[in-house]
């Protein structure tokens, strides 16, 4: 069901009035608030149970709006925006003072992107304000790729849920910091490292060690993107009620095998909805076949690795 003009108008009004709006982007559903309203942004952290140390991505409708929230606009930002916006690439840049500290976990930088989903763009345009929006799920949980996922997990903590159908990219945006020299890949995603390097040359990657080390970028929690059912990478051992997500070889030891798409884009698009569908308590274990090591798979492998982190 497409979102009606009426719903859009109401959602935009809610945003301007300090409300919380769940809306589709091409990556996952977002939980949005007016980024310039610190009280509204506080409600995001509350609704998600998200620690204030985890910065939010600010969604804008144009390079112009992005620039209004930054103190500088590096030439790399211009080139990357030209190539990838609207789309699933978040750029971290020195932030302007008008943006409240709560949005960025008091960092001096802000993560910005122009989403390509028509409902997301129309919403930001109608509201006329930048929209801070993390994924619309409880902290550390699995991101929602449908409006039903949002309703199941956040329910009445949201003022309105815009239903734009299933998301097409399916995993969270690539996050690239332009505040370092060279630029640093903070979170891989479906805009691959190679695709970025074609535009701005060599970039650095925040290795797994730095994620939890003393110089960690806030918000890069290891245990994230997790279903309730334990996840492992590789074949299950026999004796569990296990389901195995495979692309190449089904597992003899699994109770059930589920065939996943061969292609990276299609795999990403269906991964979270597959996990949501299996996360009902029916399985003791979700096992996932190891993925290829090419850069187009890096974002997907990253999410699966974090989904498979053991609970503390
Ligand atoms: P989410 O909104 O849950 O998809 O995640 C946003 C992620 O983007 C955070 O967890 C950070 O890893 C990253 N991020 C957002 N803003 C910044 C920033 N200013 N500096 C560094 N990383 C950021
Ligand atoms: Mg999230």
């Amino acid at each position: 069901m497409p979102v009606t003009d009426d719903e859009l108008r109401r959602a935009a009004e809610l945003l301007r009035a300090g409300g919380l709006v769940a809306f589709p982007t091409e990556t996952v559903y977002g939980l949005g608030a007016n980024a310039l309203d610190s009280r509204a942004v506080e409600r995001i952290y509350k609704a998600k149970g998200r620690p204030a140390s985890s910065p939010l991505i600010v969604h804008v409708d144009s390079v112009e709006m992005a620039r209004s929230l930054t103190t500088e606009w590096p030439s790399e930002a211009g080139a990357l925006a030209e190539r990838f916006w609207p789309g699933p690439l978040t750029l971290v840049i020195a932030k302007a003072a008008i943006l409240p500290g709560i949005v960025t976990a008091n960092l001096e930088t802000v993560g910005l992107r122009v989403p390509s989903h028509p409902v997301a763009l129309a919403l930001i345009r109608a509201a006329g304000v930048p929209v801070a929006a993390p994924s619309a799920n409880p902290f550390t949980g699995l991101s929602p790729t449908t409006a039903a996922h949002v309703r199941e997990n956040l329910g009445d903590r949201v003022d309105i849920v815009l239903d734009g159908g299933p998301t097409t990219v399916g995993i969270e945006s690539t996050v690239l910091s332009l505040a370092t020299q060279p630029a640093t890949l903070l979170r891989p995603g479906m805009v691959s490292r190679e695709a970025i390097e074609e535009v701005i040359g060599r970039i650095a990657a925040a290795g797994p060690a730095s994620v939890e080390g003393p110089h960690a970028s806030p918000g890069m929690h290891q245990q994230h993107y997790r279903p309730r059912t334990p996840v492992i990478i590789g074949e299950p051992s026999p004796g569990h009620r296990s389901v195995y997500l495979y692309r190449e070889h089904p597992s003899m030891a699994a109770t059930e095998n589920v065939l996943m798409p061969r292609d990276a884009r299609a795999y990403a698009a269906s991964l979270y909805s597959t996990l949501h569908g299996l996360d009902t308590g029916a399985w003791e274990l979700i096992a996932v076949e190891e993925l290829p090591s090419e850069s187009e798979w890096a974002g997907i492998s990253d999410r699966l690795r974090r989904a498979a982190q053991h609970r503390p």
Side-chain angles (χ1 to χ4, degrees), residues 135-266:
S135 52
N137 57 279
F139 184 61
T140 78
L142 205 51
S143 295
T145 57
T146 66
H149 296 156
V150 179
R151 292 195 198 98
E152 278 156 31
N153 291 299
L154 290 179
D156 54 11
R157 278 178 268 179
V158 187
D159 295 312
I160 189 174
V161 181
L162 297 176
D163 185 349
T167 65
T168 53
V169 174
I171 65 168
E172 302 79 0
S173 62
T174 303
V175 180
L176 181 74
S177 174
L178 296 179
T180 58
Q181 271 303 340
T184 310
L185 186 62
L186 297 178
R187 177 172 74 184
M190 296 312 286
V191 171
S192 72
R193 177 186 185 139
E194 249 125 71
I196 292 169
E197 288 186 331
E198 271 172 31
V199 179
I200 61 166
R202 189 127 188 88
I203 62 173
S210 70
V211 171
E212 285 201 313
H215 304 295
S217 155
M220 296 180 71
H221 296 264
Q222 278 288 41
Q223 295 180 355
H224 213 148
Y225 317 111
R226 265 187 346 198
R228 288 174 294 258
T229 312
V231 173
I232 62 163
I233 295 166
E235 277 201 59
S237 44
H240 289 110
R241 261 196 75 68
S242 64
V243 57
Y244 189 55
L245 309 187
Y246 76 101
R247 293 169 60 251
E248 293 185 325
H249 309 292
S251 163
M252 303 288 285
T255 315
E256 198 169 302
N257 283 280
V258 171
L259 177 63
M260 295 293 286
R262 279 208 65 81
D263 161 76
R265 277 179 200 287

Side-chain angles (χ1 to χ4, degrees), residues 10 13 29 55 70 98 103 122 154 185 211 227 246:
R10 221 164 68 84
E13 269 164 29
Y29 273 70
T70 60
I98 53 161
V103 175
L154 290 179
L185 186 62
V211 171
Y246 76 101

Side-chain angles (χ1 to χ4, degrees), residues 23-38:
F23 64 99
T25 79
E26 71 277 26
T27 59
V28 301
Y29 273 70
L31 179 61
N34 178 356
L36 302 175
D37 178 346
S38 54

